[in-house]
């Protein structure tokens, strides 16, 4: 019975004290199971029918579920504007990020074309923009430069000088990148098929943000050579970032001033206009496509002023028009890139699903993590055959796709059409584009990732363990390089998870007077312990790794030495057994009387000590599962019956209180205790 006041928001409950057996009777617990058996599941999976076939097709090919219902009136205009805006961003970003992957800019355009079309068919997010991304590009670049360094392509030039065979080197790097991309895609598809999408939950947000921030540092340093027009040596392994920075600093006297001027002018224009876009985001119908404007302006000025020949400015060079025929990747590279491929697969998926679920939560639709694995995996695998490198979603392009009115992935198709037109007809016009301008585009787009340094003061206030994960991930990524840094970060994150479960918070609870609430006595001053009763709480699930610690802390906080209690119980049991054997020698009538009396004495004598053993696993959505596990393990017995398990702490306390009163009375008085609250 419940009465609730509308003004004071008080409530009053009057019911019997409920243990687990009483609850089963009152709530009429059923013994049936609604879960199908393994045999039924196998039969169902093998059953073939038209509805089932339709369900499979709609699950694995999501475009079939939403494209037939596409509303031209509601979505077409927004998708058209959004697609054009994102397509315009794809052009400069694709060419710029290709340099991060140590590939020619045209391969960035390919990567902005084919994977987007594949994701349109298989993806479940409506707003993310698939394509090139700085972090993934630098991860690919570290592999291509490691397996195809300049030193492997030195040839004898004129006058006895040695030069790098750039064409052969670049072709080899494309083979490496395509093999890496296909293998990473196969990993993602495999994980998606076996429904392993939940693995991303073990990559916490502090880990992802710390890793992307550390990767941004690698991206930034890799572009300094274009900014200053110098050619530093290539370093690999731990501390390679530090060595590269020191090398660039030593080469600063050799800075190409014209390249530095071009870089600074482009950087200033990009920063100013991007800030205008941010400040007047609500008033501008579309963001100013400053990246494309800078690319076009720089190309025109460089071409007509003949800057490459006059000032030796490094430009993009040949951009072939048209599309290359698809080709199978060189599988001989798989053994050399298998570790890198798995790292790229996990990082790319983690970035993709975190961004996709953000938009899904905002707009109220579901983003299937397993299907996203398959979609991104197919984008990479198919893209690898078309000379693309690894892709994931881009935050900057996705925000533009959403803010300009994009409703579906039709916007991605439109952006692909713009890229396709560029590749087929316009690409060669950008051959005189300075690489320094592309590097400034990369710099400016790192702003969002460098803003993640603001996580540090926030995590310091909210969660210091997450802060430690962020810092360790960032430092290991910067110091140990991208692949080893990720491995260390994941290992450390798993260690913190283990320590959290092994070092839970234990507390003794007391009652807040006048309520049924039981709170930590160390935290709340007004709560009082109940005389004769100890309420012990653990904040974590008990399992084999923390069971011993649980027992030690229980004894320490409760003051109960379980070993002594067990010894005393054994002595009492032995004494009782000797007494019973002695009484067997008496007559049958006397024996019955004497046997009944000791049992009563034993029950009364042990009542107070057993009061400590009553417990209540007060765990929200888990109690039923715990009870089922205890029943399956035959935990309940005559010594620990199911009547010692209560649905709330207050039920257990009321029962113990009544039992204590009964024991203190010394007789059977109190048996009629109703247990009402």
């Amino acid at each position: 019975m419940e009465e609730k006041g509308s003004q004071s928001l008080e409530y009053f409950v009057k019911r019997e004290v409920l243990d687990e057996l009483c609850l089963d009777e009152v709530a009429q617990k059923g013994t049936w199971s609604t879960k199908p058996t393994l045999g039924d599941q196998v039969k169902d999976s093998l059953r073939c029918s038209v509805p089932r076939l339709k369900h499979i097709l709609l699950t694995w090919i999501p475009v079939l579920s939403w494209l037939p219902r596409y509303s031209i009136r509601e979505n077409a205009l927004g998708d058209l504007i959004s697609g054009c805006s994102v397509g315009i961003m794809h052009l400069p970003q694709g060419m710029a990020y290709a340099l991060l992957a140590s590939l020619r800019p045209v391969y960035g355009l390919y990567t902005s074309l084919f994977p987007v079309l594949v994701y349109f068919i298989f993806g479940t997010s409506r707003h993310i923009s698939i394509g090139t991304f700085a972090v993934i590009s630098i991860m690919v670049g570290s592999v291509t430069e490691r397996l195809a360094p300049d030193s492997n392509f030195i040839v004898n030039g004129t006058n006895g000088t040695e030069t790098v065979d750039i064409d052969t080197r670049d072709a080899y790097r494309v083979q490496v990148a395509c093999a890496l991309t296909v293998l990473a895609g196969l990993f993602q598809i495999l994980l998606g098929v076996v429904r392993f999408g939940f693995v991303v939950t073990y990559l916490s947000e502090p880990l992802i943000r710390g890793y992307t921030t550390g990767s941004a540092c690698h991206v930034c340093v890799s572009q300094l050579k274009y900014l200053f027009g110098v050619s530093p040596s290539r370093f690999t392994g731990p501390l390679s970032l530090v060595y590269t920075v020191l090398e660039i600093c030593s080469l600063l006297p050799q800075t190409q001033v014209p390249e530095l001027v071009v870089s600074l002018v482009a950087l200033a224009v990009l920063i100013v206009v991007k800030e205008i876009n941010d400040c007047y985001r609500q008033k501008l119908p579309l963001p100013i496509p400053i990246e494309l404007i800078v690319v076009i302006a720089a190309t025109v000025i460089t071409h007509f002023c003949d800057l490459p020949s006059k000032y030796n400015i490094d430009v993009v060079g040949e951009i072939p028009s048209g599309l290359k025929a698809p080709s199978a990747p060189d599988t001989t590279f798989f053994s050399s890139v298998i570790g890198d491929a798995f790292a790229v697969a996990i990082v790319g998926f983690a970035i993709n699903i975190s961004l996709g679920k953000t938009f899904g939560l905002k707009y109220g639709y579901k983003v299937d993590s397993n299907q996203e694995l398959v979609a991104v995996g197919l984008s990479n695998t198919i893209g690898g055959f078309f000379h693309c490198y690894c892709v994931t979603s881009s935050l900057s392009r996705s925000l533009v796709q959403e803010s300009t009115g994009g409703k579906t992935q039709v916007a991605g198709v439109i952006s692909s059409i713009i890229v396709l037109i560029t590749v087929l007809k316009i690409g060669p016009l950008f051959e005189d584009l300075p690489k320094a301008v592309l590097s400034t585009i990369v710099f400016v787009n790192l702003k969002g990732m460098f803003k993640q340094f603001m996580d540090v003061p926030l995590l310091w206030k909210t969660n210091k363990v997450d802060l430690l994960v962020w810092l360790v991930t960032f430092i290991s990524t910067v110091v140990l390089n991208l692949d080893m840094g990720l491995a260390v970060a994941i290992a450390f994150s798993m260690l913190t998870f283990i320590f959290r479960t092994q070092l839970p918070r234990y507390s003794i609870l007391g009652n807040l007077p006048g309520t049924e609430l039981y709170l930590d006595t160390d935290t709340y001053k007004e709560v009082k312990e109940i005389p004769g009763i100890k309420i012990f709480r653990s904040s974590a699930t008990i399992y084999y790794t923390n069971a011993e610690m649980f027992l030690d802390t229980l004894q320490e906080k409760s003051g109960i030495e379980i070993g002594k209690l067990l010894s005393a119980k054994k002595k009492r049991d032995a004494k009782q057994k000797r007494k019973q054997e002695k009484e067997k020698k008496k007559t049958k009538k006397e024996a019955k009387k004497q046997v009944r009396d000791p049992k009563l004495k034993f029950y009364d004598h042990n009542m107070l000590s057993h009061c400590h053993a009553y417990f209540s696993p007060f765990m929200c959505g888990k109690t039923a599962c715990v009870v089922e596990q205890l029943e399956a393990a035959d935990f309940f017995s005559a010594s620990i019956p199911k009547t010692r398990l209560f649905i709330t702490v207050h039920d257990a306390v009321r029962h113990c209180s009544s039992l204590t009163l009964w024991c203190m009375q010394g007789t059977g008085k109190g048996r009629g205790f109703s247990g009402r609250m």
Side-chain angles (χ1 to χ4, degrees):
M1 181 175 68
E2 182 174 326
E3 300 175 2
K4 186 172 181 180
S6 59
Q7 299 298 326
S8 61
L9 297 178
E10 298 178 344
Y11 68 90
F12 307 92
V13 178
K14 185 178 182 181
R15 62 170 174 80
E16 299 285 339
V17 171
L18 293 178
D19 57 38
E20 189 64 27
L21 281 178
C22 294
L23 179 65
D24 292 348
E25 295 176 4
V26 172
Q28 298 184 4
K29 181 181 179 181
T31 57
W32 63 88
S33 175
T34 58
K35 185 178 180 180
T37 63
L38 179 61
D40 292 337
Q41 293 180 24
V42 173
K43 289 179 181 178
D44 185 62
S45 64
L46 297 177
R47 188 177 292 116
C48 184
S49 63
V50 174
R52 178 171 177 78
L53 180 61
K54 181 180 178 181
H55 174 73
I56 292 174
L57 285 175
L58 295 180
T59 301
W60 290 98
I61 311 178
V63 70
L64 297 178
S65 64
W66 63 264
L67 189 59
R69 303 196 306 268
Y70 184 80
S71 174
I72 296 178
R73 181 179 180 181
E74 294 180 3
N75 301 329
L77 181 60
D79 285 340
L80 177 63
I81 297 173
S82 175
C84 292
S85 303
V86 174
I88 290 171
M89 292 183 67
H90 265 303
L91 300 179
Q93 288 190 6
M95 290 189 290
Y97 291 157
L99 296 181
L100 289 177
S102 297
L103 302 173
R104 290 187 176 181
V106 70
Y107 294 101
L109 297 179
Y110 296 155
T111 306
S112 302
L113 172 59
F114 296 105
V116 179
L117 297 176
V118 176
Y119 187 83
F120 164 76
I121 299 173
F122 297 100
T124 59
S125 175
R126 304 172 191 171
H127 295 91
I128 64 173
S129 173
I130 288 290
T132 56
F133 185 62
V135 173
I136 299 299
S137 298
I138 194 68
M139 293 179 76
V140 173
S142 66
V143 179
T144 56
E145 290 191 1
R146 186 184 77 233
L147 297 183
D150 291 345
S151 58
N152 289 2
F153 301 93
I154 300 295
V155 295
N156 292 325
T158 57
N159 300 325
T161 60
E162 292 184 344
T163 60
V164 178
D165 187 350
I166 295 178
D167 292 336
T168 305
R169 181 203 64 183
D170 289 350
Y172 194 83
R173 287 181 175 179
V174 170
Q175 291 180 334
V176 173
C178 291
L180 173 69
T181 300
V182 171
L183 189 56
L186 291 175
F187 277 133
Q188 291 170 329
I189 293 172
L190 179 62
L191 292 175
V193 169
V194 299
R195 320 306 288 174
F196 216 62
F198 72 90
V199 72
V200 76
T201 59
Y202 290 96
L203 300 179
S204 63
E205 185 176 359
L207 187 149
I208 294 297
R209 293 174 71 87
Y211 184 76
T212 53
T213 308
S215 301
C217 295
H218 283 275
V219 172
C220 182
V221 170
S222 71
Q223 296 303 291
L224 290 176
K225 60 183 179 182
Y226 299 113
L227 199 69
F228 295 104
V230 295
S231 300
S233 303
R234 182 183 175 275
F235 300 95
T236 59
L239 298 177
S240 60
L241 186 72
V242 178
Y243 295 144
T244 303
V245 172
L246 294 176
E247 175 81 0
I248 291 175
C249 291
S250 66
L251 294 174
L252 286 180
Q254 304 174 23
T255 298
Q256 299 290 329
V257 177
E259 296 234 18
L260 182 60
V261 171
V262 170
S263 301
L264 294 178
V265 171
L267 197 61
V269 173
L270 286 169
I271 292 174
V272 170
V273 179
K274 278 187 171 287
E275 288 299 319
I276 292 174
N277 280 338
D278 290 340
C279 293
Y280 297 96
R281 176 171 67 248
Q282 305 297 333
K283 297 181 180 180
L284 291 173
L286 293 174
I288 302 172
I290 187 58
E291 293 175 343
L292 184 63
I293 293 173
V294 168
V295 165
I296 294 174
T299 304
V300 171
I301 293 173
T302 303
H303 177 75
F304 287 102
C305 294
D306 198 18
L307 297 183
S309 59
K310 289 183 179 179
Y311 300 103
N312 199 28
I313 288 182
D314 192 13
V315 295
V316 167
E318 181 185 1
I319 298 180
S321 60
L323 299 173
K324 288 191 174 184
S327 61
D330 189 346
T331 57
T332 59
F333 289 114
F334 282 2
S335 60
S336 303
V337 301
I338 185 169
D340 303 282
F342 189 77
V344 169
I346 295 299
V347 173
F349 170 64
I351 295 171
N352 189 78
I353 195 62
S354 60
L355 194 56
K357 292 210 173 208
T358 299
F359 286 117
L361 185 64
K362 182 176 180 179
Y363 290 96
Y365 62 88
K366 181 182 179 182
V367 176
D368 188 339
S369 58
N370 293 307
Q371 182 59 28
E372 284 296 294
L373 265 173
V374 174
V376 178
L378 286 171
S379 298
N380 282 324
T381 303
I382 297 174
F385 284 85
F386 287 88
H387 312 285
C388 305
Y389 66 90
C390 298
V391 298
T392 189
S393 55
S394 164
L395 177 60
S396 60
R397 292 195 307 269
S398 299
L399 290 176
V400 169
Q401 182 164 320
E402 179 236 359
S403 62
T404 52
K407 300 291 196 321
T408 68
Q409 280 299 329
V410 170
V413 176
I414 295 172
S415 71
S416 297
I417 293 174
I418 293 177
V419 176
L420 178 62
I421 294 172
T422 303
V423 171
L424 293 177
K425 299 295 182 182
I426 308 176
L429 298 178
F430 294 106
E431 291 180 353
D432 287 330
L433 173 64
K435 289 184 178 179
V437 173
L438 291 179
S439 69
T440 59
I441 292 174
V442 173
F443 273 114
V444 172
N445 283 295
L446 292 177
K447 174 186 173 183
M449 281 186 274
F450 283 127
K451 276 187 174 180
Q452 293 176 159
F453 278 112
M454 298 306 297
D455 292 350
V456 174
L458 178 63
L459 291 174
W460 175 261
K461 296 178 182 178
T462 57
N463 193 318
K464 291 182 174 58
V465 176
D466 284 346
L467 172 62
L468 196 58
V469 171
W470 195 102
L471 292 174
V472 169
T473 303
F474 172 77
I475 294 172
S476 62
T477 303
V478 170
V479 174
L480 300 178
N481 225 331
L482 296 172
D483 47 0
M484 294 177 61
L486 179 62
V488 170
I490 293 176
F492 183 78
S493 180
M494 295 301 294
L495 282 176
T496 61
F497 173 77
I498 294 171
F499 282 132
R500 288 183 191 185
T501 58
Q502 284 195 297
L503 299 173
R505 180 177 179 180
Y506 299 113
S507 54
I508 295 293
L509 304 186
N511 177 248
L512 182 63
T515 72
E516 82 291 355
L517 301 177
Y518 294 85
L519 307 173
D520 187 354
T521 54
D522 293 332
T523 306
Y524 299 92
K525 295 181 180 180
E526 293 299 319
V527 299
K528 306 295 181 183
E529 286 193 56
I530 301 171
I533 298 175
K534 286 287 185 181
I535 306 172
F536 181 75
R537 181 177 66 184
S538 170
S539 63
T541 303
I542 306 170
Y543 65 111
Y544 69 96
T545 61
N546 61 11
E548 185 176 354
M549 183 179 297
F550 177 89
L551 182 61
D552 294 341
T553 310
L554 173 62
Q555 294 182 97
E556 177 186 344
K557 285 188 171 289
S558 65
I560 300 173
E561 297 185 23
I562 297 177
K564 290 185 177 180
L565 288 178
L566 291 175
S567 299
K569 184 177 183 299
K570 287 181 180 180
K571 291 180 180 179
R572 285 198 303 268
D573 290 343
K575 183 178 180 181
Q576 184 70 16
K577 186 176 181 180
R578 290 194 300 270
K579 193 172 184 179
Q580 288 177 346
E581 290 176 353
K582 184 178 179 180
E583 289 174 348
K584 284 181 181 179
K585 298 178 182 179
K586 295 183 179 181
T587 63
K588 187 175 182 180
K589 183 177 180 180
E590 291 177 343
K592 288 182 179 179
K593 180 180 179 182
Q594 293 299 325
V595 169
R596 189 180 300 110
D597 289 341
K599 282 186 177 180
L600 180 60
K601 289 181 180 179
F602 176 71
Y603 184 66
D604 290 339
H605 178 72
N606 287 290
M607 193 63 68
L608 277 173
S609 63
H610 282 317
C611 285
H612 293 285
Y614 287 84
F615 60 94
S616 171
F618 189 52
M619 294 173 282
C620 184
K622 297 181 181 178
T623 301
C625 179
V626 171
V627 174
E628 290 174 2
Q629 290 179 358
L630 293 176
E631 289 175 333
D634 293 329
F635 175 79
F636 298 109
S637 61
S639 59
I640 306 179
K642 207 173 180 182
T643 52
R644 291 192 184 179
L645 183 65
F646 294 87
I647 63 171
T648 69
V649 174
H650 197 55
D651 284 86
V653 170
R654 295 292 296 179
H655 186 80
C656 285
S657 299
S658 67
L659 200 57
T660 303
L661 178 62
W662 182 16
C663 295
M664 290 175 65
Q665 290 173 342
T667 64
K669 296 178 182 180
R671 275 187 177 273
F673 174 74
S674 65
R676 292 184 179 274
M677 299 169 64

